[in-house]
Amino acid sequence: MACVLLLSRLLPFSHRLTRTSICLLSLFLSYLCYCALFPVGTVMHRTGDSPPSCQLVPADGAKRRLQKSSLSCVLQLEARPSSAEVQPREKKPEQRVSSSSSSSSSSSSHLLAVRSDTPSPLMGNAKFGNKKLPNAIIVGVKKGGTRAVLEFIRIHPDVRAAGTETHFFDRNYDRGLEWYRGLMPRTLESQITMEKTPSYFVTKETPRRISAMSQKTKLIVVVRDPVTRAISDYTQTLSKTPDLPTFQELAFRNQCLGIVDTSWNAIRIGLYALHLENWLRYFPLAQIHFVSGERLITDPAGELARVQDFLGLKRIVTDKHFYFNRTKGFPCLKKPESSGSPRCLGKSKGRTHVQIDRDAIEQLQDFYRPYNVKFYEMVGHDFKWE
């Protein structure tokens, strides 16, 4: 448009211009047209040619200059790579390194663009190990001390455990083993993967399901005087449901006659012998380890030593890891060097039990006695309850 306007102004005076003036004017007009068509900083390319690395290209709504290599733009234009296309970075500038594997037949050595945020092989995956199905499971029992056993054994460097109860084999079995595996922590080949869900011990289908997963799974059962366990169970439920009927109302169908209500879950869990019979259909007794809930309080290091032996671990968790918390009436872990305070179990552990009438306790002890004796015989150990 500027050229046309200028010509319209000069035409009336064209008869006065010499041949030399006309040539200079033509060159000047050609220069103006060229500048209008090709702004400073751009270069015409043939079809298929890639732009030089010093070209301005848009990225994230703004123009940014790609980092130049040690070669000048002129030399890069002469090389004219026909297929390689330099990609602009979104956040960080590109780094360029020479390719050591360039073919000797290449006309020139090409520079390889490497993203600076590309992780190195050592830092590429910060998650060490793999998620594996558990080698060992704490299967029971509720209010027996399962959380304490899990927290204590997790001190061992060769044990990794799921922090929460998965309830896979009793409530979520239809989700499949891969879903279950996904809940497990990452472990090295030499480490043991564990989980704990106390309701497994009293769920009829669980032994068969765990056996179908692996017949080599090691099982841990934390048992406790069934009367004390029932009272602890009731105390926990009462803290969540204040309008709960009395313990005696739930535990007995007829207390005067001493008829116990075995349909109440707090009573039914304590029938250890009946539940164990179901497990022994699928697992040998040698594959099940029983932890005494009472000795776990009075001698946690001794109980953990036996657990480590059962799992085939070196005895690393010892008495130096524990101290007795008189307020909770329960052992706690001594503070790690990296922590400023000891590790005790939550408020629900070591809770003061509801006071139960002595007659009701004696009636329950009479009820449980034959089941306890049978359980002692089955496991080959007298837990001396009562």
Side-chain angles (χ1 to χ4, degrees):
M1 178 63 77
C3 295
V4 173
L5 185 61
L6 186 58
L7 283 173
S8 65
R9 292 297 184 94
L10 292 176
L11 280 177
F13 306 98
S14 60
H15 63 281
R16 299 180 183 179
L17 299 177
T18 64
R19 182 176 297 180
T20 303
S21 301
I22 293 175
C23 291
L24 291 175
L25 182 60
S26 299
L27 289 174
F28 178 71
L29 292 176
S30 299
Y31 174 74
L32 290 178
C33 293
Y34 180 84
C35 291
L37 291 175
F38 306 108
V40 177
T42 60
V43 181
M44 293 285 287
H45 297 286
R46 293 187 316 222
T47 303
D49 286 350
S50 61
S53 63
C54 58
Q55 179 187 2
L56 290 172
V57 293
D60 297 336
K63 291 186 176 182
R64 294 185 300 173
R65 185 177 299 274
L66 295 179
Q67 184 179 5
K68 294 182 179 181
S69 69
S70 60
L71 299 179
S72 66
C73 295
V74 175
L75 291 178
Q76 291 183 44
L77 287 173
E78 290 176 354
R80 290 187 184 276
S82 58
S83 59
E85 189 173 29
V86 180
Q87 294 291 339
R89 285 294 312 279
E90 293 182 0
K91 293 183 179 180
K92 296 182 180 180
E94 292 180 350
Q95 297 176 344
R96 293 179 178 270
V97 295
S98 299
S99 172
S100 59
S101 59
S102 298
S103 172
S104 59
S105 62
S106 298
S107 59
S108 60
S109 60
H110 297 287
L111 299 177
L112 299 179
V114 179
R115 297 176 64 94
S116 61
D117 61 348
T118 302
S120 66
L122 293 178
M123 297 299 292
N125 193 342
K127 300 174 182 177
F128 297 102
N130 300 306
K131 292 194 174 187
K132 300 180 294 186
L133 294 171
N135 312 92
I137 304 175
I138 302 175
V139 297
V141 297
K142 180 183 179 184
K143 304 308 296 179
T146 57
R147 172 55 63 180
V149 172
L150 183 70
E151 293 301 323
F152 295 165
I153 196 62
R154 289 172 80 175
I155 301 174
H156 201 291
D158 290 335
V159 174
R160 297 292 309 280
T164 58
E165 298 175 6
T166 68
H167 286 283
F168 173 67
F169 293 103
D170 58 350
R171 301 179 189 174
N172 299 299
Y173 193 64
D174 59 336
R175 293 177 178 263
L177 284 175
E178 287 309 307
W179 178 86
Y180 184 47
R181 186 198 305 272
L183 300 179
M184 297 299 113
R186 291 184 178 273
T187 52
L188 300 175
E189 193 63 33
S190 59
Q191 292 178 315
I192 290 177
T193 303
M194 291 185 65
E195 75 118 326
K196 78 105 177 171
T197 302
S199 56
Y200 286 165
F201 189 66
V202 298
T203 304
K204 185 177 180 180
E205 300 84 1
T206 299
R208 173 181 56 80
R209 291 171 174 176
I210 295 179
S211 177
M213 176 187 72
S214 174
Q215 295 181 343
K216 297 181 179 180
T217 305
K218 293 186 176 183
L219 309 169
I220 298 175
V221 184
V222 189
V223 289
R224 185 182 185 184
D225 183 329
V227 178
T228 307
R229 197 222 65 81
I231 297 173
S232 178
D233 197 340
Y234 173 79
T235 301
Q236 183 182 50
T237 306
L238 185 64
S239 67
K240 301 175 182 178
T241 313
D243 58 346
L244 201 66
T246 66
F247 179 84
Q248 288 89 330
E249 289 178 283
L250 295 171
F252 296 93
R253 291 183 178 177
N254 189 320
Q255 188 176 358
C256 294
L257 299 177
I259 302 176
V260 176
D261 188 354
T262 56
S263 65
W264 186 33
N265 195 50
I267 295 295
R268 186 174 64 88
I269 291 175
L271 304 176
Y272 302 142
L274 297 184
H275 302 304
L276 182 57
E277 286 179 347
N278 186 34
W279 284 90
L280 293 179
R281 294 189 182 101
Y282 299 92
F283 292 94
L285 186 63
Q287 216 162 307
I288 308 174
H289 179 72
F290 298 91
V291 176
S292 168
E294 287 79 17
R295 285 201 303 266
L296 189 62
I297 295 175
T298 60
D299 183 21
E303 283 302 296
L304 264 293
R306 286 180 277 273
V307 171
Q308 290 170 94
D309 292 344
F310 172 69
L311 296 175
L313 300 170
K314 183 179 179 180
R315 289 190 177 185
I316 292 179
V317 183
T318 61
D319 55 359
K320 69 180 181 181
H321 291 93
F322 302 97
Y323 80 97
F324 190 80
N325 187 313
R326 297 185 181 278
T327 302
K328 295 181 70 68
F330 205 85
C332 296
L333 295 171
K334 292 181 180 178
K335 67 176 182 178
E337 294 180 0
S338 59
S339 174
S341 60
R343 286 174 53 193
C344 283
L345 300 180
K347 295 181 180 179
S348 63
K349 312 301 178 184
R351 182 189 286 116
T352 302
H353 290 175
V354 174
Q355 293 297 314
I356 306 299
D357 182 73
R358 184 63 195 172
D359 291 339
I361 292 177
E362 291 178 354
Q363 286 176 306
L364 288 175
Q365 288 175 339
D366 292 339
F367 167 76
Y368 277 119
R369 186 172 292 110
Y371 294 100
N372 291 343
V373 171
K374 185 177 181 180
F375 180 67
Y376 299 162
E377 293 173 352
M378 293 174 72
V379 303
H381 180 77
D382 185 352
F383 289 87
K384 302 184 183 302
W385 290 323
E386 291 184 18

